[in-house]
Amino acid sequence: MLTTERKALLMDRLRRDGRIVAKAIAEEFMLSEDTIRRDLRELAAEGLLNRVHGGALPISPDLPDFATRTRIESDEKQRLASAAVTLVSPGQMLFLDGGTTNAALARILPRHFAFTVVTHSPTIAAELEQHPTAEVILLGGRLYKHSMVAVGAMTAEAIGRLRPDLFFLGVTAAHPTEGFSTGDIEEAAIKRQIVQQAASTWILLTSNKLDAASPANVVASDQITGLVVSNTVEASRLAGFEAKGIRLLRA
Amino acid sequence: MLTTERKALLMDRLRRDGRIVAKAIAEEFMLSEDTIRRDLRELAAEGLLNRVHGGALPISPDLPDFATRTRIESDEKQRLASAAVTLVSPGQMLFLDGGTTNAALARILPRHFAFTVVTHSPTIAAELEQHPTAEVILLGGRLYKHSMVAVGAMTAEAIGRLRPDLFFLGVTAAHPTEGFSTGDIEEAAIKRQIVQQAASTWILLTSNKLDAASPANVVASDQITGLVVSNTVEASRLAGFEAKGIRLLRA
DNA sequence: TTTATTCGTGCATATTCGTGCAATTTCATG
DNA sequence: CATGAAATTGCACGAATATGCACGAATAAA
């Protein structure tokens, strides 16, 4: 049995049984416990499972979950969100992408005039439960759990019927020449479609995402209307975006 | 049983039952009380629960009066949910209506086999973020804020394409002759449509909803497959439903 | 107060872990 | 093909962890 193959089997087992007991698996595979332990250690180092005494458990139970991620780095996100709300006008249809930065934006959307918010993120929708003046349209689809947004054919179809005035796009990486990218191909496809439908697209970009690239490209730089960026970022790092005609809103 | 796994189970128990009795759990897990005590001590040190003489309680800064009241209220919901999960089989497509009782059900859905959950409630969807084996389909639409479910034409269209095996319907009132009802007409229309599409429909009915009527009728009694009801309710109050051919699952 | 649980600590035992090491296989490079 | 490097695997052994038991202290109940 190949090492990689064995690791894949371990991950299958973990998904199937919800846990792995090192000793039992070693017997079943007719290998020393050391080998299994080593595999588990390495898989844990890759963040694929949760190593515990006696075996391993799935990552989900105590992975820094969405709620935790919301708390960290909230300072910069708050500032970006505060600046971004100035882009919203009465009566507009906004489209809010998923992600913690957009969740911060959802929490501080204006309450003194009416507008429509479209989102494919149930988390964002839940944030807007208490909002007095926002009409919320939730887009359905298969939920991509990692980032908690609806994706797939159902979502795409619903997007095709909408023409949002303003789209707040969420990405995990931004690069002047490589464009904007995210972690999942399917998610990227949905984002790309929304960009095409929307009259304008803005990105709230925390500084750690600058000059990076993620696996799945969303759109090229020239598709984006503007970026909301912290004013602690040196202007030189943004010159590449300005050259592409992207507007900058410093926060 | 792995140590970490056991601790997770204890936390689950605490969430479900609102309390842990060390001796009882030790017997159930067939372990010495020492081990359970040690676990509880460590969980308490992590700030995850409140260690008390004889067991543990959730961390709730609430006033004791209010706390016990909500615990008792949610106690019934937990029991109904625990009974209802037995209705779920591998590979099924469930439809979960909105509401706090169904949210309780979502939290304890089986984690050892796969199934599909359809919901038009972003709150329910958010509850299922951490679920390892559930494929979640979110239905879109305009959000009716009071109960946080998607309603309207978009939702209706999406429902029309689905044939769920099992629908857990939420209502605010149940009456043997008047049928089942809820507060909002538009919401009732959506519920009615799901009942028509689903192969079977069950209602988790807390005792305070019995023999009452709300403004908007959802369906007549004979449209419902079964009710999940607390076993503290006298059988006489349920005779009317049984006469209509409704199955009863006592919890 | 008395009595019965429950708790915490110390200790013994068994299991599991990590590291270093050697034997073997596989890979890369010339 | 040859040869050295890298990876894989099992074993040994000391360290860390988990568990149950005993016993005196603390707590709740009567």
Side-chain angles (χ1 to χ4, degrees):
Chain A
M1 195 189 320
L2 303 177
T3 307
T4 314
E5 195 180 5
R6 191 179 56 236
K7 285 188 184 176
L9 277 175
L10 287 173
M11 289 307 297
D12 281 349
R13 275 318 177 84
L14 189 56
R15 270 188 289 274
R16 198 190 73 188
D17 303 338
R19 62 176 193 154
I20 287 178
V21 179
K23 188 175 179 177
I25 292 283
E27 273 182 24
E28 187 180 332
F29 290 0
M30 292 190 299
L31 288 166
S32 74
E33 293 179 39
D34 297 67
T35 303
I36 300 299
R37 271 201 282 271
R38 235 182 297 248
D39 289 344
L40 294 182
R41 219 178 304 163
E42 286 163 15
L43 288 169
E46 293 174 47
L48 296 175
L49 52 74
N50 200 353
R51 185 78 172 89
V52 301
H53 198 89
L57 294 172
I59 202 77
S60 33
D62 60 2
L63 175 81
D65 54 1
F66 197 85
T68 337
R69 266 184 286 152
T70 310
R71 284 198 295 273
I72 61 174
E73 283 188 330
S74 62
D75 201 43
E76 183 180 10
K77 291 179 182 175
Q78 300 295 351
R79 275 189 294 122
L80 298 187
S82 299
V85 288
T86 64
L87 300 168
V88 180
S89 307
Q92 276 189 328
M93 175 184 280
L94 312 182
F95 199 119
L96 280 192
D97 202 352
T100 54
T101 314
N102 279 337
L105 175 57
R107 276 192 288 273
I108 62 166
L109 282 174
R111 291 165 173 268
H112 57 284
F113 59 79
F115 51 93
T116 303
V117 178
V118 185
T119 182
H120 59 142
S121 155
T123 319
I124 299 274
E127 291 285 353
L128 291 168
E129 181 187 1
Q130 304 289 352
H131 197 288
T133 59
E135 162 104 321
V136 182
I137 308 287
L138 178 65
L139 299 192
R142 183 168 51 77
L143 274 194
Y144 175 60
K145 285 208 185 146
H146 178 65
S147 48
M148 279 298 278
V149 292
V151 296
M154 280 180 65
T155 317
E157 189 186 336
I159 291 169
R161 299 190 201 141
L162 300 171
R163 293 280 174 184
D165 298 298
L166 184 51
F167 174 35
F168 286 105
L169 168 63
V171 296
T172 59
H175 193 281
T177 55
E178 305 288 327
F180 301 92
S181 49
T182 188
D184 181 75
I185 293 180
E186 203 169 4
E187 205 184 339
I190 290 290
K191 289 174 191 289
R192 191 178 312 121
Q193 193 194 355
I194 307 168
V195 170
Q196 282 158 6
Q197 296 289 114
S200 65
T201 300
W202 285 77
I203 299 176
L204 279 63
L205 201 64
T206 52
S207 47
N208 59 318
K209 294 173 180 168
L210 260 173
D211 299 320
S214 289
N217 182 267
V218 177
V219 288
S221 290
D222 55 11
Q223 302 281 301
I224 301 301
T225 312
L227 297 178
V228 186
V229 194
S230 167
N231 51 24
T232 61
V233 174
E234 303 92 27
S236 61
R237 297 181 68 193
L238 303 168
F241 294 106
E242 279 192 291
K244 298 267 184 181
I246 296 183
R247 291 172 56 191
L248 293 179
L249 179 59
R250 307 300 292 259
Chain B
M1 192 186 326
L2 304 175
T3 307
T4 315
E5 201 178 5
R6 189 180 57 237
K7 285 188 186 175
L9 277 174
L10 287 173
M11 288 308 296
D12 279 349
R13 265 331 164 78
L14 188 56
R15 269 189 291 274
R16 183 174 316 176
D17 304 340
R19 64 183 194 136
I20 286 178
V21 178
K23 188 175 179 177
I25 293 282
E27 272 181 26
E28 186 180 333
F29 289 180
M30 292 191 299
L31 287 166
S32 74
E33 293 179 39
D34 297 68
T35 304
I36 300 299
R37 271 201 283 270
R38 232 182 299 249
D39 289 344
L40 294 181
R41 220 178 303 161
E42 285 165 15
L43 288 169
E46 293 175 49
L48 295 175
L49 52 74
N50 208 347
R51 185 81 172 85
V52 299
H53 199 89
L57 293 172
I59 308 171
S60 68
D62 296 330
L63 294 173
D65 196 357
F66 180 78
T68 45
R69 199 159 51 87
T70 50
R71 193 172 71 72
I72 290 166
E73 260 186 18
S74 75
D75 199 45
E76 184 179 8
K77 290 181 183 175
Q78 302 294 352
R79 275 187 294 118
L80 298 187
S82 299
V85 288
T86 63
L87 299 169
V88 180
S89 309
Q92 276 189 329
M93 176 183 280
L94 312 183
F95 198 119
L96 279 192
D97 203 351
T100 52
T101 312
N102 278 336
L105 176 56
R107 274 191 288 274
I108 63 164
L109 282 174
R111 293 167 171 264
H112 56 285
F113 60 77
F115 50 91
T116 303
V117 177
V118 185
T119 183
H120 59 141
S121 155
T123 318
I124 300 275
E127 291 283 354
L128 291 167
E129 180 193 0
Q130 302 287 354
H131 198 288
T133 59
E135 163 105 321
V136 182
I137 307 288
L138 178 66
L139 298 192
R142 183 169 50 78
L143 275 194
Y144 174 60
K145 284 206 185 150
H146 176 66
S147 50
M148 278 297 276
V149 292
V151 296
M154 278 180 68
T155 316
E157 190 186 335
I159 291 169
R161 300 191 201 141
L162 299 171
R163 293 279 174 183
D165 299 298
L166 186 49
F167 174 36
F168 286 106
L169 168 63
V171 297
T172 59
H175 194 280
T177 55
E178 304 288 327
F180 301 92
S181 49
T182 189
D184 180 75
I185 294 179
E186 202 169 7
E187 204 184 340
I190 291 290
K191 289 174 192 287
R192 191 178 314 120
Q193 193 194 355
I194 307 169
V195 170
Q196 282 157 6
Q197 296 289 115
S200 65
T201 300
W202 285 79
I203 299 177
L204 278 65
L205 201 65
T206 52
S207 47
N208 58 319
K209 295 173 182 169
L210 261 172
D211 299 320
S214 289
N217 181 267
V218 179
V219 288
S221 288
D222 55 9
Q223 301 281 301
I224 299 301
T225 312
L227 297 177
V228 186
V229 194
S230 167
N231 52 24
T232 61
V233 175
E234 303 89 31
S236 60
R237 297 181 67 192
L238 302 167
F241 294 108
E242 278 193 290
K244 297 270 183 180
I246 296 184
R247 290 172 56 191
L248 293 180
L249 179 59
R250 306 300 292 262

